[in-house]
Coordinates of all heavy atoms in Angstrom, one line a residue:
G1011 N -56.3 46.8 29.9 CA -56.5 45.4 29.8 C -57.5 44.8 30.7 O -57.8 43.6 30.6
L1012 N -58.1 45.6 31.6 CA -59.1 45.1 32.5 C -60.4 45.1 31.7 O -60.5 45.8 30.7 CB -59.2 45.9 33.7 CG -57.8 46.0 34.5 CD1 -58.0 46.9 35.7 CD2 -57.3 44.6 34.9
P1013 N -61.4 44.4 32.0 CA -61.7 43.7 33.3 C -60.9 42.4 33.6 O -60.1 42.1 32.8 CB -63.2 43.4 33.2 CG -63.5 43.2 31.7 CD -62.5 44.2 31.1
A1014 N -61.3 41.8 34.7 CA -60.6 40.6 35.1 C -60.5 39.5 34.1 O -61.5 39.3 33.3 CB -61.2 40.1 36.4
P1015 N -59.4 38.8 34.0 CA -59.3 37.7 33.1 C -60.2 36.6 33.5 O -60.6 36.5 34.6 CB -57.8 37.3 33.2 CG -57.4 37.8 34.5 CD -58.1 39.0 34.8
A1016 N -60.6 35.8 32.5 CA -61.4 34.6 32.8 C -60.9 33.4 32.0 O -61.5 33.0 31.0 CB -62.9 34.9 32.5
T1017 N -59.7 33.0 32.3 CA -59.1 31.9 31.5 C -59.6 30.5 31.9 O -59.3 29.6 31.2 CB -57.5 31.9 31.7 OG1 -57.2 31.6 33.1 CG2 -57.0 33.3 31.4
G1018 N -60.2 30.4 33.0 CA -60.7 29.1 33.5 C -59.8 28.4 34.5 O -60.2 27.3 35.0
S1019 N -58.7 29.0 34.8 CA -57.8 28.5 35.9 C -57.2 29.6 36.7 O -57.0 30.7 36.1 CB -56.7 27.6 35.2 OG -55.7 28.4 34.6
L1020 N -56.8 29.3 37.9 CA -56.1 30.3 38.7 C -54.8 30.7 38.1 O -54.5 31.9 38.1 CB -56.0 29.8 40.1 CG -55.2 30.7 41.1 CD1 -56.0 32.0 41.3 CD2 -55.1 30.0 42.5
Y1021 N -54.0 29.7 37.7 CA -52.7 30.0 37.1 C -52.9 30.9 35.9 O -52.2 31.9 35.7 CB -52.0 28.8 36.7 CG -50.7 29.1 35.8 CD1 -49.6 29.5 36.5 CD2 -50.8 29.1 34.4 CE1 -48.4 29.8 35.7 CE2 -49.7 29.4 33.7 CZ -48.5 29.8 34.3 OH -47.4 30.1 33.6
G1022 N -53.8 30.6 35.0 CA -54.1 31.4 33.8 C -54.5 32.8 34.1 O -54.0 33.7 33.5
D1023 N -55.3 33.0 35.1 CA -55.8 34.3 35.5 C -54.6 35.1 36.1 O -54.5 36.3 35.8 CB -56.9 34.2 36.5 CG -58.2 33.7 35.9 OD1 -58.3 33.6 34.6 OD2 -59.2 33.5 36.6
V1024 N -53.8 34.5 37.0 CA -52.7 35.2 37.6 C -51.7 35.5 36.5 O -51.2 36.7 36.5 CB -52.1 34.3 38.7 CG1 -50.7 34.8 39.1 CG2 -53.0 34.2 39.9
R1025 N -51.4 34.7 35.6 CA -50.5 34.9 34.5 C -51.0 36.1 33.7 O -50.2 37.0 33.3 CB -50.3 33.7 33.7 CG -49.3 33.9 32.5 CD -47.9 34.2 33.0 NE -47.0 34.3 31.9 CZ -46.9 35.4 31.1 NH1 -47.7 36.4 31.3 NH2 -46.0 35.4 30.1
A1026 N -52.2 36.1 33.4 CA -52.8 37.2 32.6 C -52.7 38.6 33.4 O -52.4 39.6 32.8 CB -54.2 36.9 32.2
L1027 N -53.0 38.5 34.7 CA -52.9 39.7 35.5 C -51.4 40.3 35.5 O -51.2 41.5 35.4 CB -53.3 39.4 36.9 CG -54.8 39.4 37.2 CD1 -55.0 39.0 38.7 CD2 -55.4 40.8 37.0
L1028 N -50.5 39.4 35.6 CA -49.1 39.8 35.6 C -48.7 40.4 34.2 O -47.9 41.4 34.2 CB -48.2 38.6 35.9 CG -48.2 38.1 37.3 CD1 -47.5 36.8 37.4 CD2 -47.5 39.1 38.2
E1029 N -49.2 39.9 33.2 CA -48.9 40.5 31.8 C -49.4 41.9 31.8 O -48.7 42.8 31.3 CB -49.6 39.6 30.7 CG -49.2 40.0 29.3 CD -47.7 39.6 29.1 OE1 -47.3 38.5 29.5 OE2 -47.0 40.4 28.4
V1030 N -50.7 42.1 32.2 CA -51.2 43.5 32.2 C -50.5 44.4 33.1 O -50.1 45.5 32.7 CB -52.7 43.4 32.6 CG1 -53.3 44.8 32.8 CG2 -53.5 42.7 31.6
A1031 N -50.2 43.9 34.3 CA -49.4 44.8 35.3 C -48.0 45.1 34.8 O -47.6 46.2 34.9 CB -49.4 44.0 36.6
A1032 N -47.3 44.1 34.2 CA -46.0 44.4 33.7 C -46.0 45.4 32.6 O -45.2 46.3 32.5 CB -45.4 43.1 33.2
H1033 N -47.0 45.3 31.7 CA -47.2 46.3 30.6 C -47.4 47.7 31.2 O -46.8 48.7 30.8 CB -48.3 45.9 29.7 CG -48.7 47.0 28.7 ND1 -47.9 47.1 27.5 CD2 -49.6 47.9 28.6 CE1 -48.4 48.1 26.8 NE2 -49.4 48.6 27.4
A1034 N -48.2 47.8 32.2 CA -48.5 49.1 32.8 C -47.3 49.7 33.6 O -47.0 50.9 33.4 CB -49.7 49.0 33.8
L1035 N -46.6 48.8 34.3 CA -45.5 49.3 35.1 C -44.3 49.7 34.2 O -43.4 50.4 34.7 CB -45.1 48.3 36.1 CG -46.1 48.1 37.3 CD1 -45.7 46.9 38.2 CD2 -46.3 49.3 38.1
R1036 N -44.2 49.1 33.0 CA -43.1 49.5 32.1 C -43.4 50.8 31.4 O -42.5 51.3 30.7 CB -42.9 48.3 31.1 CG -42.1 47.1 31.7 CD -41.6 46.2 30.5 NE -42.7 45.7 29.7 CZ -43.2 44.5 29.9 NH1 -42.8 43.7 30.8 NH2 -44.2 44.1 29.1
H1037 N -44.6 51.2 31.5 CA -45.0 52.5 30.8 C -44.1 53.6 31.4 O -43.9 53.7 32.6 CB -46.5 52.8 31.0 CG -47.0 53.9 30.1 ND1 -46.7 55.2 30.3 CD2 -47.8 53.8 29.0 CE1 -47.3 55.9 29.4 NE2 -47.9 55.1 28.6
P1038 N -43.6 54.5 30.5 CA -42.6 55.5 31.0 C -43.2 56.4 32.1 O -42.6 56.8 33.0 CB -42.2 56.3 29.7 CG -43.2 55.9 28.7 CD -43.7 54.5 29.0
V1039 N -44.5 56.8 31.9 CA -45.1 57.7 32.9 C -45.3 56.9 34.2 O -45.0 57.5 35.3 CB -46.5 58.2 32.4 CG1 -47.3 58.9 33.5 CG2 -46.3 59.1 31.2
A1040 N -45.8 55.7 34.2 CA -46.0 54.9 35.4 C -44.6 54.8 36.1 O -44.5 55.0 37.3 CB -46.6 53.6 35.1
S1041 N -43.6 54.3 35.4 CA -42.3 54.1 36.1 C -41.7 55.3 36.6 O -41.0 55.3 37.6 CB -41.4 53.4 35.1 OG -41.1 54.3 34.0
Q1042 N -41.9 56.5 36.0 CA -41.4 57.7 36.5 C -42.2 58.3 37.7 O -41.7 58.9 38.6 CB -41.3 58.8 35.4 CG -40.2 58.5 34.4 CD -40.1 59.7 33.4 OE1 -41.0 60.4 33.2 NE2 -38.9 59.9 32.9
V1043 N -43.5 58.2 37.5 CA -44.4 59.0 38.4 C -44.8 58.3 39.6 O -45.0 58.9 40.7 CB -45.6 59.6 37.6 CG1 -46.5 60.3 38.5 CG2 -45.1 60.4 36.5
I1044 N -45.1 57.0 39.5 CA -45.7 56.3 40.7 C -44.8 56.4 41.9 O -45.3 56.6 43.0 CB -46.0 54.8 40.3 CG1 -47.2 54.7 39.4 CG2 -46.2 54.0 41.6 CD1 -47.5 53.3 38.9
P1045 N -43.5 56.2 41.8 CA -42.6 56.3 43.0 C -42.8 57.7 43.6 O -42.8 57.9 44.9 CB -41.2 56.1 42.5 CG -41.4 55.2 41.3 CD -42.7 55.7 40.7
D1046 N -42.8 58.8 42.8 CA -43.0 60.2 43.3 C -44.3 60.3 44.0 O -44.4 60.9 45.1 CB -42.9 61.2 42.1 CG -41.5 61.4 41.6 OD1 -40.5 60.9 42.3 OD2 -41.3 62.0 40.6
L1047 N -45.4 59.7 43.4 CA -46.7 59.9 44.0 C -46.7 59.2 45.4 O -47.4 59.6 46.3 CB -47.7 59.3 43.1 CG -48.0 60.1 41.8 CD1 -49.1 59.4 41.0 CD2 -48.5 61.5 42.1
L1048 N -46.1 58.0 45.5 CA -46.1 57.3 46.7 C -45.3 58.1 47.8 O -45.7 58.1 49.0 CB -45.5 55.9 46.6 CG -46.3 55.0 45.7 CD1 -45.6 53.6 45.5 CD2 -47.7 54.8 46.2
V1049 N -44.3 58.8 47.4 CA -43.6 59.6 48.4 C -44.5 60.8 48.9 O -44.6 61.1 50.1 CB -42.3 60.2 47.8 CG1 -41.7 61.3 48.7 CG2 -41.3 59.1 47.5
E1050 N -45.2 61.4 47.9 CA -46.1 62.5 48.3 C -47.3 61.9 49.1 O -47.7 62.6 50.1 CB -46.7 63.1 47.0 CG -45.7 63.8 46.1 CD -45.1 65.0 46.9 OE1 -45.8 65.7 47.6 OE2 -43.9 65.3 46.7
A1051 N -47.7 60.7 48.8 CA -48.8 60.1 49.6 C -48.4 59.9 51.0 O -49.3 60.0 51.9 CB -49.3 58.8 48.9
A1052 N -47.2 59.5 51.2 CA -46.7 59.3 52.6 C -46.7 60.6 53.4 O -46.8 60.5 54.7 CB -45.3 58.7 52.6
R1053 N -46.6 61.7 52.8 CA -46.6 63.0 53.5 C -47.9 63.6 53.6 O -48.2 64.4 54.6 CB -45.7 64.0 52.7 CG -44.2 63.5 52.6 CD -43.5 64.5 51.6 NE -42.1 64.1 51.5 CZ -41.3 64.5 50.6 NH1 -41.8 65.3 49.6 NH2 -40.0 64.2 50.5
H1054 N -48.8 63.3 52.7 CA -50.1 64.0 52.7 C -51.3 63.0 52.6 O -51.4 62.3 51.5 CB -50.2 64.9 51.5 CG -49.1 65.9 51.4 ND1 -48.9 67.0 52.3 CD2 -48.0 66.0 50.6 CE1 -47.9 67.7 52.0 NE2 -47.2 67.1 51.0
P1055 N -52.1 62.8 53.7 CA -53.1 61.9 53.6 C -54.1 62.1 52.5 O -54.7 61.1 52.0 CB -53.8 62.1 55.0 CG -52.8 62.7 55.9 CD -51.9 63.5 55.0
E1056 N -54.4 63.3 52.1 CA -55.4 63.5 51.1 C -54.9 63.0 49.7 O -55.7 62.5 48.9 CB -55.8 65.0 51.0 CG -54.7 65.9 50.5 CD -53.7 66.4 51.5 OE1 -53.7 65.8 52.7 OE2 -52.8 67.3 51.3
I1057 N -53.6 63.1 49.5 CA -53.0 62.5 48.3 C -53.0 61.0 48.4 O -53.3 60.4 47.4 CB -51.6 63.1 48.1 CG1 -51.6 64.6 47.8 CG2 -50.9 62.3 47.0 CD1 -50.2 65.2 47.6
A1058 N -52.8 60.5 49.6 CA -52.8 59.0 49.7 C -54.2 58.5 49.4 O -54.3 57.4 48.7 CB -52.5 58.7 51.2
D1059 N -55.3 59.2 49.8 CA -56.6 58.7 49.4 C -56.8 58.7 47.9 O -57.4 57.8 47.4 CB -57.6 59.6 50.1 CG -57.7 59.4 51.6 OD1 -57.2 58.4 52.1 OD2 -58.2 60.3 52.3
T1060 N -56.3 59.8 47.3 CA -56.5 59.9 45.8 C -55.7 58.8 45.1 O -56.2 58.2 44.1 CB -56.1 61.3 45.3 OG1 -56.8 62.3 46.1 CG2 -56.4 61.5 43.9
V1061 N -54.5 58.6 45.5 CA -53.7 57.6 44.9 C -54.3 56.2 45.0 O -54.3 55.4 44.1 CB -52.2 57.6 45.5 CG1 -51.4 56.4 45.0 CG2 -51.5 58.9 45.1
K1062 N -54.8 56.0 46.2 CA -55.4 54.7 46.5 C -56.6 54.5 45.6 O -56.8 53.4 45.0 CB -55.9 54.6 47.9 CG -56.6 53.3 48.3 CD -57.0 53.2 49.8 CE -57.7 51.9 50.1 NZ -58.9 51.7 49.4
A1063 N -57.5 55.5 45.4 CA -58.6 55.4 44.5 C -58.3 55.2 43.1 O -58.9 54.4 42.4 CB -59.5 56.6 44.7
A1064 N -57.2 55.8 42.6 CA -56.8 55.7 41.2 C -56.0 54.5 40.9 O -56.2 53.9 39.8 CB -55.9 57.0 40.9
L1065 N -55.2 54.0 41.8 CA -54.3 52.9 41.5 C -54.6 51.6 42.2 O -54.6 50.5 41.6 CB -52.8 53.3 41.9 CG -52.2 54.5 41.2 CD1 -50.8 54.8 41.7 CD2 -52.3 54.4 39.7
L1066 N -54.9 51.7 43.5 CA -55.1 50.4 44.2 C -56.5 49.8 44.1 O -56.6 48.6 43.9 CB -54.8 50.7 45.7 CG -54.8 49.4 46.6 CD1 -53.9 48.3 46.2 CD2 -54.5 49.8 48.1
D1067 N -57.5 50.7 44.2 CA -58.9 50.1 44.3 C -59.2 49.3 43.0 O -59.8 48.2 43.1 CB -59.9 51.3 44.5 CG -59.8 51.8 45.9 OD1 -59.1 51.3 46.7 OD2 -60.4 52.9 46.1
P1068 N -58.9 49.8 41.8 CA -59.2 49.0 40.6 C -58.5 47.7 40.6 O -59.1 46.7 40.2 CB -58.7 49.9 39.4 CG -58.7 51.3 40.0 CD -58.3 51.1 41.4
Q1069 N -57.3 47.6 41.0 CA -56.5 46.3 41.0 C -57.1 45.4 42.1 O -57.2 44.2 41.9 CB -55.0 46.6 41.3 CG -54.4 47.3 40.2 CD -52.9 47.6 40.4 OE1 -52.2 46.6 40.7 NE2 -52.5 48.8 40.4
Q1070 N -57.5 46.0 43.3 CA -58.1 45.1 44.3 C -59.4 44.5 43.8 O -59.7 43.3 44.0 CB -58.4 46.0 45.5 CG -57.2 46.3 46.4 CD -57.5 47.1 47.6 OE1 -58.3 48.0 47.6 NE2 -56.9 46.7 48.7
G1071 N -60.2 45.3 43.0 CA -61.4 44.8 42.5 C -61.2 43.6 41.5 O -61.9 42.6 41.6
V1072 N -60.2 43.7 40.7 CA -59.9 42.7 39.7 C -59.4 41.4 40.4 O -59.9 40.3 40.1 CB -58.9 43.2 38.7 CG1 -58.4 42.1 37.8 CG2 -59.5 44.3 37.8
V1073 N -58.5 41.6 41.3 CA -58.0 40.4 42.0 C -59.0 39.7 42.8 O -59.1 38.5 42.9 CB -56.8 40.8 42.9 CG1 -56.3 39.7 43.8 CG2 -55.6 41.3 42.1
A1074 N -60.0 40.5 43.4 CA -61.1 39.9 44.2 C -61.9 39.0 43.2 O -62.4 38.0 43.7 CB -61.9 41.0 44.8
Q1075 N -62.1 39.5 42.0 CA -62.9 38.6 41.0 C -62.1 37.4 40.7 O -62.8 36.3 40.6 CB -63.2 39.4 39.8 CG -64.1 40.6 39.9 CD -64.3 41.3 38.6 OE1 -64.7 40.7 37.6 NE2 -64.1 42.6 38.6
V1076 N -60.8 37.5 40.5 CA -60.0 36.3 40.3 C -60.1 35.3 41.4 O -60.3 34.1 41.2 CB -58.6 36.7 40.0 CG1 -57.6 35.5 40.0 CG2 -58.5 37.4 38.6
V1077 N -60.0 35.8 42.6 CA -60.0 34.9 43.8 C -61.4 34.3 43.9 O -61.5 33.1 44.2 CB -59.7 35.7 45.1 CG1 -60.0 34.9 46.3 CG2 -58.2 36.1 45.1
R1078 N -62.4 35.1 43.7 CA -63.8 34.5 43.8 C -64.0 33.4 42.8 O -64.6 32.4 43.1 CB -64.8 35.7 43.6 CG -66.3 35.3 43.8 CD -67.2 36.5 44.0 NE -67.0 37.5 43.0 CZ -66.5 38.7 43.2 NH1 -66.0 39.0 44.4 NH2 -66.4 39.5 42.2
A1079 N -63.6 33.6 41.6 CA -63.7 32.6 40.6 C -62.9 31.3 41.0 O -63.4 30.2 40.7 CB -63.2 33.1 39.2

Side-chain angles (χ1 to χ4, degrees):
L1012 304 181
T1017 65
S1019 72
L1020 178 59
Y1021 171 82
D1023 288 351
V1024 167
R1025 180 62 178 77
L1027 280 176
L1028 286 170
E1029 189 70 42
V1030 172
H1033 174 76
L1035 291 173
R1036 283 194 300 262
H1037 193 285
V1039 171
S1041 63
Q1042 284 186 336
V1043 178
I1044 288 178
D1046 285 349
L1047 290 180
L1048 294 178
V1049 170
E1050 295 296 323
R1053 296 171 179 163
H1054 305 288
E1056 68 278 10
I1057 294 179
D1059 291 341
T1060 307
V1061 170
K1062 180 178 181 296
L1065 300 181
L1066 182 59
D1067 290 350
Q1069 293 181 55
Q1070 283 181 319
V1072 170
V1073 172
Q1075 292 181 55
V1076 168
V1077 169
R1078 185 163 51 249

